[in-house]
Amino acid sequence: MSTVGVSANRLEILQIAKAVAEEKAIDRSIVIEAMQEAIEKAAKSRYGQEHDIRARIDGDTGEQTLWRVQTVVADDELEDPAQQLSLTDAKKIDPTLEIGGEITEELPPFDFGRVAAQTAKQVIMQKVRDAERERQYGEYKDRVGEIINGIVKRVEYGHVIVDLGRAEGIIRRNDGIPRENFQPNDRVRAYLYKVSRETKGPQIFLSRAHPDFMVKLFAQEVPEVYDGVIEIRACARDAGSRAKIGVISNDSSIDPVGACVGMRGARVQAVVGELSGEKIDIIPWNYDAATFIVNALQPAEVSKVVLDEDEQRVEVVVADDQFPLAIGRRGQNVRLASQLTGWQIDLVTESADSERYQRDFQMRTELFMKALDADETLAQLLASEGFETVEEIAYVAPEDFITIDGFDLEVANEIQERAREYLEKLAAEQDARRKELGVEDEMMELDGMTTGFAVKFGENDVKTVEDIAGLVPDDITGWREPGPDGKPVFQDGILKKGEMRKDEAQLFIMKARVAAGWVEPEALAQLEADMAAQAEDDAADLTAEERALLALGEIGKVTEESTELAEEELIFDLDALAAEEVQPEDGDDADQKE
């Protein structure tokens, strides 16, 4: 029976270590460590597992050394004679030894048996495999966000296994472009978006459907994007069908859309060719959300935009004949625009918007007639001048009335007097209702509390300061949660949407907790300071252009929501659009390549 000796040819061991290291692309020292571990395991099988046996292979000469180690302990602490040696016995060997020291005994070379040789081989192979997997993980985890080139190795159930040279990656079925078929040995480019460490080795996930794949392709084809002169601020894709990208130039002399399109469309066509004919709309990115949303809905023309910044929703009004174009096939155009801008987009036709405006106008007219004891003509005049509530009429500067045709100071004072009387009467009724509901007077002392709010709190069984202290902001302002079909549905809180912001509700509840004695006043002061600091940070994050636009009133414009929505079938929610097919007019699929 052939055997392998510890005293094997030194040069041969170093050559084997070098060959394995080069083949697996790992450090030679790792292979030598694996050999040392294999020798130690074989030696323990020979001399006993209870011994602390160590081996060393010199990386320069290949010389092998094997020895047993025992640790010096106090005489009364000796527990394991195989690995420990009493201080008395240690002094007999070396008088300089102290507790904690080690004494070594060199062991003679020995021959591996068949079983020991097989075990040593397994130890070395396992150690080398672990090192190779760690090398693969370390190499590719730093390449996340890059485009990787590889060769298709095989296709399994729609998943494409890609040979990357020193590792394998996978393009899962949902990460591929629909209707794109690969065969073994095909060359493929894909975006590396994730590397995970697994027991059987690192999993390298590739994608051809990821939005950043398109961004990286443009960086390869457009020098201005690669250099950072042009930025692709946003990208939304319906892989294999259509995509939209938002671009902006840091150099006013360079047109970002034209640069991405290239001469006769050469640059964009190179990207389209790599993506199997996917159509690309190149949209000018804008700091103003409303302008960007209008651009993103191209080729449809937009009539009006109403933003709700708290909910990140926007209502877009389009002409009736532009409605199918704004939606696109199966809601594709508006869906991509929503993904591109980050806003939930609700489309409304002009006719539906007009009907809603008429209903809202009629409601305000009836309210003013009742509150001011005025005729219909006067009420309609006030509504047409932009007054929406009785409070606005009661407390606006009298001079603002004089600008209305037919109004003088006497008429203005009379109208405001009637408005204040109505509000006082309404407040008295609400206060009586509050008391009837059992809402305590202490609640009215809270900063921000009104009789109207108190009635709503009482109707929701919140009647004491302690009750308010036990709430969370969502209880007051409302929240969103998945509905039966999985779509987010807004759940009303105690107050109507928009009557109090989340941060205001948080501050309101904290004041109640201080009043109830639950927390110290310092906690309220800290919260106010944190909110002020956050507001300063948000302002500091604005670019110079954003601050300029903000100063001009171009950012953050929020139009008041109407009191009633249009008929449900005329307001198309983004999520609902995916479920129905609307045939576009001619030109819906035309690329936006200017």
Side-chain angles (χ1 to χ4, degrees), residues 151-156 159-163 168 182-185:
I151 297 175
V152 176
K153 193 170 184 179
R154 62 186 183 276
V155 180
E156 298 177 350
H159 306 302
V160 181
I161 311 301
V162 182
D163 183 359
E168 285 186 357
F182 287 105
Q183 301 298 325
N185 299 321

Side-chain angles (χ1 to χ4, degrees), residues 145-294:
E146 295 182 9
I147 290 181
I148 301 292
N149 296 310
I151 297 175
V152 176
K153 193 170 184 179
R154 62 186 183 276
V155 180
E156 298 177 350
Y157 305 104
H159 306 302
V160 181
I161 311 301
V162 182
D163 183 359
L164 303 176
R166 293 183 176 180
E168 285 186 357
I170 180 172
I171 303 175
R172 294 183 293 186
R173 186 165 45 245
N174 57 343
D175 285 328
I177 296 176
R179 298 178 299 280
E180 189 175 53
N181 297 316
F182 287 105
Q183 301 298 325
N185 299 321
D186 286 351
R187 297 196 63 84
V188 62
R189 286 200 292 176
Y191 178 76
L192 175 57
Y193 69 93
K194 181 182 177 183
V195 178
S196 64
R197 183 186 270 117
E198 304 291 343
T199 305
K200 294 183 178 180
Q203 293 292 308
I204 302 172
F205 296 97
L206 308 173
S207 175
R208 287 177 57 79
H210 199 287
D212 285 342
F213 182 48
M214 177 177 289
V215 174
K216 293 295 182 180
L217 289 175
F218 269 103
Q220 291 182 351
E221 298 294 337
V222 183
E224 293 87 348
V225 175
Y226 180 82
D227 294 336
V229 178
I230 294 175
E231 294 182 46
I232 300 179
R233 289 290 184 90
C235 178
R237 292 182 63 194
D238 199 348
S241 177
R242 191 168 186 171
K244 291 177 181 283
I245 61 171
V247 296
I248 187 171
S249 175
N250 295 320
D251 185 342
S252 59
S253 65
I254 297 178
D255 173 25
V257 176
C260 290
V261 172
M263 185 68 69
R264 298 184 180 179
R267 292 174 173 178
V268 73
Q269 285 303 321
V271 178
V272 169
E274 176 63 35
L275 299 177
S276 302
E278 186 173 321
K279 298 174 182 177
I280 303 173
D281 294 347
I282 303 175
I283 309 296
W285 195 89
N286 198 288
Y287 288 101
D288 179 31
T291 303
F292 185 37
I293 291 168
V294 171

Side-chain angles (χ1 to χ4, degrees), residues 1-10 12-13 16 35 39 42 46 57 62 64 66 108-114 116-117 120:
M1 179 178 66
S2 63
T3 60
V4 180
V6 174
S7 57
N9 185 283
R10 300 174 183 177
E12 182 179 327
I13 287 180
I16 292 173
M35 290 179 171
I39 294 174
R46 173 71 176 267
I57 299 175
Q64 305 153 43
L66 188 67
F110 68 95
D111 291 333
F112 284 18
R114 181 179 60 83

Side-chain angles (χ1 to χ4, degrees), residues 211 234-238 334-343 345 574:
C235 178
R237 292 182 63 194
D238 199 348
V334 70
R335 183 173 66 251
L336 290 176
S338 178
Q339 294 172 7
L340 187 73
T341 60
W343 288 73
I345 299 177
L574 172 64

